[in-house]
Amino acid sequence: MDRKNLAIDAVALAVCLVALNPALTGIGLHEWIGLGLFAVFVVHVALHVDWVADAFRTARANPSIVRTGNLVLDVLVLAAFVACTASGLMVSGDVLRAFGWYAQGYYFWDPLHAASAKVLLALLLVHVVVHWRWVAQALRRNAGPRKRGGSSDGPGESTAK
């Protein structure tokens, strides 16, 4: 499961970094990628729903500063993501028009979108750094069989201990 989680998380981060830089794609594609990012985000959350449920349960029953800190960080990422997505839809020129919709309040939504995107990027960087140990362990664990000295004792094992 770690390999699948890691792959989806890597795709989510890559798509997010592209979506957070409209200079790479242009505004129209930025809007559609941002909308698609919602689907990737839902998959990411679904893969980690057990951790979220456990974090809420243990934060109350057996509080830990690390677990509570991770939970607070994840809630902040969620809030920034929701603000960025909602405000992005409200200032959208292509996505809303494709559905025949129009939203008023550009001068409210546009600054909110810009600010929430910057906050989201900062929080995502912190999120990746905080979870870097899990990423490194997943990469090591899923590196596959390695051959040393011309032989292998099995998947992930080597003759040199």
Side-chain angles (χ1 to χ4, degrees):
M1 186 61 144
D2 279 344
R3 179 175 279 182
K4 182 179 172 183
N5 282 349
L6 185 60
I8 290 172
D9 291 353
V11 168
L13 182 60
V15 171
C16 191
L17 291 175
V18 169
L20 286 170
N21 190 355
L24 289 176
T25 60
I27 297 297
L29 192 53
H30 163 78
E31 292 176 11
W32 287 105
I33 291 172
L35 190 60
L37 186 59
F38 180 76
V40 174
F41 184 78
V42 167
V43 170
H44 173 83
V45 171
L47 286 174
H48 298 289
V49 74
D50 291 338
W51 181 89
V52 173
D54 185 55
F56 275 110
R57 187 173 37 257
T58 58
R60 195 155 187 238
N62 186 14
S64 150
I65 195 150
V66 172
R67 177 72 53 122
T68 304
N70 277 329
L71 188 58
V72 168
L73 176 62
D74 289 346
V75 168
L76 290 173
V77 168
L78 175 63
F81 181 78
V82 168
C84 190
T85 303
S87 60
L89 283 172
M90 298 307 281
V91 296
S92 170
D94 288 353
V95 172
L96 285 183
R97 191 178 0 206
F99 293 107
W101 298 335
Y102 173 79
Q104 294 186 8
Y106 178 84
Y107 293 106
F108 170 77
W109 294 113
D110 188 53
L112 178 61
H113 185 63
S116 62
K118 288 172 180 66
V119 169
L120 178 60
L121 178 59
L123 289 171
L124 284 175
L125 291 174
V126 172
H127 181 79
V128 169
V129 168
V130 165
H131 292 88
W132 187 250
R133 181 177 289 161
W134 176 84
V135 172
Q137 287 173 349
L139 287 171
R140 269 191 305 252
R141 197 171 22 247
N142 293 309
R146 295 183 194 134
K147 290 188 177 185
R148 291 186 186 164
S151 68
S152 175
D153 293 339
E157 297 179 20
S158 67
T159 54
K161 300 279 181 192

